[in-house]
Amino acid sequence: MKAVICAGPPTTGKTTVLKQVVKKVIREGFHPVYLKVDVQYAVEDELFKKEFGIPVKKVYSGELCPDHCNVMVLGDAVEWARKEKADFLFVETAGLCLRCSPYIEGSLGIVVLEATSGMNLPRKIGPMLTLADIAVVTKIDLISQAEREVFRARVIDAAAGVSICETNALYGIGIDSLVKKILASPEIASSLVLRGNPPVGTCTVCVGKKEVGWQRHFGVVRPLENDIFYRGE
Amino acid sequence: MHIEKLTILGGVGKSGQPEPVAEISLKMGDVISVVGSTGSGKTTLVDDIALFADRNTPTQRQVLINGVPAPEEFTNDPSKNPVAFITQHTNFLSDLPVNEFLKIHAGIRRRDNISSVIEETIDFSNKLTGEPIDPENAMTELSGGQTRALLIADAVIIGNSPVILLDEIENAGIHRTKALELLRGYEKIFIFVTHDPRIALLSDFRVVMQNGAMVKIIEAHDGEAKVAEEIKKLDDMILHCRKLIRSGERLDEDIFKELR
C-alpha cells in the first residue's frame, strides 16, 4: 500500500486535485481510500464516497492542531486502509499554522498551492512546502504567464528538490503527470515517522492561558523586539 | 529547444466521429485564426495545443512539436513551455509597479540588457492601446486594454514564446490590426481564436470549427483580399467613430455622408 499526504492552505484546490487523481487511479484498476483531516467542518469525505463509492473517513482535530491530529491518527488510518485492502491511502489535511508539515517518511507528500495567492506565497509557508515531494500549482489559467514563471522560480528557491506540477484541476489539465508520480511512489514503511521536526513551541498559550503579553506567560516566549527565549524553571 | 513546426493531428468531434480535418501543420511565421460559433470547440482546440494533447484529452487530438510528442518539461516548467496562452480570464495579480514586475520576469528568463528589454516591452504594448502605460503604475491599476496589451507584449518580448495563443483579443479594446502588423514582425506562430472578420481575413488561413470538430481549412486568397479591403474600410470607419465618441466629440453630417 502507498500513502499520499496532501496539504495546502484552505481553498487552494486540494479536494479538486485529489478528485481528479482518484478518478484516474481508479481507472488504472487500483483501490484507494480517503481520509480527511480538518478542524471543525468538512464534507469532502461525503463527496468522495458519493462520486467514487470508495471507503472514506473524516476526523475533526477540534482542540488539537490539525497537523498534530494527523500525527495522532495516521497509525490507525494506515491500519484501517490495510483492512479495506486499499492500494492507496489518500489523506487530505488543512495544515494551518505553517510551522509543521504533515508528511511522513516513506510516503508521498503533496502540497497544493494556488497560483492566484501571490508571488510571495512560496516564501511564506515553510515546511509545508520545503518538505513536500511535489508542489501542485492550481488555477494557472487565471494569472499571467509571467507570474506563473515567477511563482515557479520562487517555489524552487524555497524548496530546491520539489517537483512542480502546474494544473488547472477544474478541467483535469496537468493531472496526468501527477498521477504518474503517485503511481511510482514507494510502498509505505512499516514504522511511520514524521519527515520534519515539529517546532518547539510549548508555552502557556498552548494550554489555554488567555492573558496577553509575554510577561504573563511561561515556557517558550518572545517579546516584540527580541528573539524567543525560555522563561521558567 | 528550437521549434520549427507544430502539428495538430485530428481526433474526434462532440459526436464521436473523426474530425474532417485530419492534420494541421504550422511553421514559424504562420498567423492563423480559429473561427466558429460559440460552443463549436474553438477554445477546446487551443486548450489542446496549450496542453500538448497526446490522445489524452476528450478530443483525442495529438499535438506534435517538430514531429514528435512534446517533452514533459514543457508542461512542468512555464519558462521552457514554448506556448504562451492569453485567455479571456488571464490577468495580472501583482500590485508591483510595471517596470519592477517586468524586471523580475526578465531576471528569471536571464535576459541580458534588462532595461532595454523592459523599454521594448512597454513600447510594444503602448502601440496597442489608447493610453500609454506609466512604468511606475501598479500592474493592478492598468486598464483592461492595457493589461491585455502588456500580456501580449510580455509573452512576445520577455517570454520570447515561439507559439502564442490569443483567445478573443478583440474584446479587450486594443488595436487589432496594429497588433497583427506588429506581431508579424516576429517569427512566431500566432493562433487567434476570434469572431472578428478582420483578424480572420488577415490570417494566413483559418480553421473552421463545428460541433467540437475541425471541419475546414480556408486559405487566404486573392478574392478574399478584396473583401478584406472593404471590411477594413468599414472597420476603420467604426474605429474612427469610436475614437470621436471616446474623445467627447459629436458624430456630424460629414460622418453620415461617409457612411453612405
Side-chain angles (χ1 to χ4, degrees):
Chain A
M1 189 180 71
K2 300 172 180 197
V4 177
I5 299 178
C6 181
T11 72
T12 54
K14 296 184 289 296
T15 308
T16 314
V17 168
L18 285 182
K19 269 165 87 172
Q20 296 282 2
V21 166
V22 164
K23 194 199 295 176
K24 298 208 174 196
V25 165
I26 291 174
R27 205 179 289 161
E28 294 280 329
F30 295 106
H31 178 47
V33 297
Y34 171 84
L35 167 70
K36 168 80 180 174
V37 182
D38 216 316
V39 183
Q40 56 177 21
Y41 179 76
V43 291
E44 288 80 356
D45 54 323
E46 289 153 36
L47 293 178
F48 276 81
K49 186 169 187 163
K50 198 170 156 207
E51 191 160 343
F52 305 114
I54 59 171
V56 298
K57 259 191 200 306
K58 105 177 109 188
V59 50
Y60 290 140
S61 57
E63 300 291 305
L64 277 173
C65 124
D67 282 344
H68 291 189
C69 179
N70 187 50
V71 177
M72 300 287 179
V73 305
L74 209 55
D76 293 346
V78 168
E79 235 171 78
W80 162 68
R82 283 198 208 281
K83 257 188 217 146
E84 296 284 354
K85 299 194 169 34
D87 304 303
F88 289 94
L89 164 64
F90 286 97
V91 181
E92 180 180 339
T93 171
L96 297 172
C97 78
L98 312 177
R99 297 181 303 167
C100 293
S101 80
Y103 317 120
I104 50 176
E105 297 289 1
S107 76
L108 198 67
I110 299 176
V111 62
V112 179
L113 307 173
E114 54 185 346
T116 48
S117 52
M119 299 186 300
N120 285 327
L121 182 88
R123 295 175 166 176
K124 292 181 181 174
I125 57 171
M128 196 203 306
L129 168 62
T130 55
L131 294 177
D133 299 296
I134 303 172
V136 176
V137 182
T138 59
K139 307 185 190 177
I140 51 169
D141 56 319
L142 297 180
I143 68 162
S144 64
Q145 171 96 8
E147 281 160 305
R148 276 167 66 179
E149 289 173 29
V150 175
F151 194 86
R152 182 193 161 85
R154 291 188 173 171
V155 167
I156 291 170
D157 254 4
V162 78
S163 73
I164 299 175
C165 287
E166 290 207 315
T167 63
N168 171 355
L170 224 41
Y171 299 101
I173 292 170
I175 294 292
D176 277 344
S177 68
L178 176 61
V179 171
K180 221 185 272 176
K181 288 186 178 108
I182 288 172
L183 295 181
S185 67
E187 294 287 312
I188 195 167
S190 51
S191 74
L192 304 177
V193 182
L194 265 188
R195 201 175 279 184
N197 292 319
V200 183
T202 321
C203 65
T204 34
V205 181
C206 298
V207 296
K209 203 166 182 296
K210 297 204 293 188
E211 286 81 355
V212 171
W214 62 272
Q215 299 87 341
R216 295 181 180 80
H217 289 275
F218 298 97
V220 179
V221 297
R222 83 159 284 171
L224 178 61
E225 301 296 348
N226 215 332
D227 212 347
I228 55 169
F229 65 93
Y230 186 81
R231 182 163 182 264
E233 293 294 313
Chain B
M1 181 174 177
H2 184 67
I3 299 203
E4 283 167 5
K5 202 171 76 171
L6 181 134
T7 315
I8 306 158
L9 299 178
V12 295
K14 282 183 193 164
S15 60
Q17 295 296 311
E19 294 181 270
V21 175
E23 180 177 336
I24 296 177
S25 202
L26 302 174
K27 56 181 194 315
M28 280 297 131
D30 279 347
V31 176
I32 74 155
S33 289
V34 180
V35 299
S37 49
T38 352
S40 61
K42 299 187 297 297
T43 301
T44 311
L45 176 63
V46 282
D47 274 341
D48 279 340
I49 299 170
L51 275 172
F52 305 103
D54 193 15
R55 307 270 182 222
N56 56 354
T57 61
T59 63
Q60 296 174 36
R61 290 188 187 113
Q62 191 177 31
V63 172
L64 304 176
I65 303 292
N66 297 343
V68 292
E72 204 162 282
E73 62 176 26
F74 280 10
T75 37
N76 281 333
D77 183 349
S79 71
K80 294 207 174 99
N81 191 330
V83 175
F85 190 10
I86 298 169
T87 71
Q88 299 172 72
H89 316 288
T90 311
N91 234 322
F92 291 116
L93 296 168
S94 165
D95 55 3
L96 287 173
V98 172
N99 53 4
E100 219 164 287
F101 174 81
L102 295 178
K103 201 160 119 192
I104 294 175
H105 187 204
I108 283 173
R109 283 298 185 115
R110 296 191 179 80
R111 300 292 304 258
D112 303 326
N113 303 322
I114 285 183
S115 58
S116 71
V117 169
I118 291 171
E119 207 173 300
E120 191 187 344
T121 307
I122 292 176
D123 269 359
F124 187 109
S125 51
N126 282 345
K127 283 183 191 143
L128 304 182
T129 49
E131 349 74 277
I133 292 170
D134 178 350
E136 302 297 328
N137 266 359
M139 308 279 288
T140 39
E141 282 169 28
L142 300 178
S143 73
Q146 286 174 327
T147 301
R148 224 100 305 247
L150 192 60
L151 280 165
I152 297 172
D154 175 77
V156 170
I157 294 163
I158 297 182
N160 201 17
S161 309
V163 181
I164 298 189
L165 311 175
L166 296 157
D167 197 354
E168 298 189 21
I169 55 161
E170 61 263 30
N171 297 338
I174 65 168
H175 204 306
R176 296 152 300 156
T177 38
K178 191 87 198 173
L180 265 157
E181 198 179 291
L182 276 171
L183 293 176
R184 276 202 185 271
Y186 294 81
E187 270 289 283
K188 294 177 187 300
I189 295 174
F190 288 100
I191 301 177
F192 288 87
V193 171
T194 189
H195 293 291
D196 183 336
R198 200 159 170 187
I199 293 177
L201 293 176
L202 284 171
S203 309
D204 298 320
F205 63 85
R206 51 189 194 268
V207 182
V208 185
M209 302 300 299
Q210 237 167 50
N211 201 24
M214 306 184 282
V215 293
K216 224 188 268 180
I217 291 180
I218 299 178
E219 306 252 353
H221 58 87
D222 295 346
E224 253 179 12
K226 280 186 209 149
V227 181
E229 271 306 303
E230 290 306 306
I231 287 181
K232 181 173 176 293
K233 280 183 208 155
L234 289 172
D235 195 41
D236 284 343
M237 179 56 91
I238 290 170
L239 287 180
H240 178 58
C241 293
R242 186 172 80 175
K243 196 173 160 194
L244 292 176
I245 292 171
R246 272 178 165 178
S247 54
E249 306 279 334
R250 284 176 188 280
L251 301 184
D252 54 22
E253 278 291 306
D254 294 344
I255 299 269
F256 181 72
K257 275 182 209 144
E258 266 184 77
L259 281 172
R260 297 290 295 230

